[in-house]
Amino acid sequence: MNMFSQLAFWKTYFTPDRYSIAQIPDLTGKVAIVTGANTGLGYTTMVALAGRGAHVFLACRSQKRALAAIQTALPEIRSKYPSLTTAPKLEFLELDLMDLNKTKQAAKEFLRKDLPLHILVNNAGVMVVPFELSADGIESTFAVNHMGHFVFTMTLLDRLKASQPSRVVMVSSIAHEAFPPRVGIDFETLNDPTKTTDLSRYGRSKLAN
């Protein structure tokens, strides 16, 4: 039996979509943060939420890329969501998940705006990158994909609770089943590049989430 046939996840992987963008309700008055919203799944999520009326913060490391994404998204939102009666609300929030101090400061910067927070989508991540340590001395894939988002979420948690109904969404991956090290999350060898591969480090970070 090959590895993939052993994964329970595959029982549902090829079933029809169970949720679609069309099912997103009116989000007028809601505030959302999407990490890594300048590209990929984060960008698509940002467009969908803003298209339903949410005030969306693009939490990204690069201001240049985030602002470029906003300029691209604005006409796309108007085209895809003609029923939107107000201008899309998109803002940049600087977030560097490779540095836990900067990550916490990003959350505090949002809190200073004195806004509610109804939706936090932890999407940003790195995949199959060479071994490197973060500013805090943590293996970079684990630092960005898990530890950074953990610190960001915990710093915002009281605001999320105060804004209920609210939710935190962790963007996951089948890699949490397919590619983590056989021993799972071995914190003793977290920073040992000889014990893992680029792919297994990614799987480990998703397993942690």
Side-chain angles (χ1 to χ4, degrees), residues 112-162:
R112 281 192 284 270
K113 297 179 183 295
D114 200 27
L115 292 169
L117 179 57
H118 305 97
I119 303 168
L120 172 58
V121 182
N122 289 323
N123 158 81
V126 294
M127 179 180 180
V128 194
V129 296
F131 181 86
E132 179 185 1
L133 296 181
S134 72
D136 305 283
I138 304 169
E139 187 276 311
S140 62
T141 302
F142 197 83
V144 171
N145 295 358
H146 181 69
M147 290 302 301
H149 278 128
F150 175 80
V151 169
F152 192 57
T153 301
M154 293 304 295
T155 309
L156 295 169
L157 190 58
D158 285 344
R159 184 62 52 86
L160 283 156
K161 289 180 178 179

Side-chain angles (χ1 to χ4, degrees), residues 8 17 26 28 33 40 53 64 86 91 94 116 120 154 156 158:
D17 292 341
D26 178 32
T28 302
I33 297 176
K64 181 179 179 180
T86 59
E91 286 191 50
E94 185 174 0
L120 172 58
M154 293 304 295
L156 295 169
D158 285 344

Side-chain angles (χ1 to χ4, degrees), residues 13-32:
Y13 186 73
F14 290 109
T15 58
D17 292 341
R18 297 179 177 179
Y19 194 79
S20 71
I21 289 176
Q23 292 174 274
I24 298 176
D26 178 32
L27 296 176
T28 302
K30 303 295 185 180
V31 179

Side-chain angles (χ1 to χ4, degrees), residues 122 145-147 149 170-172 185 204-209:
N122 289 323
N145 295 358
H146 181 69
M147 290 302 301
H149 278 128
M170 298 296 300
V171 176
S172 189
I185 304 171
R204 178 176 59 191
S205 72
K206 289 299 181 177
L207 178 59
N209 286 345

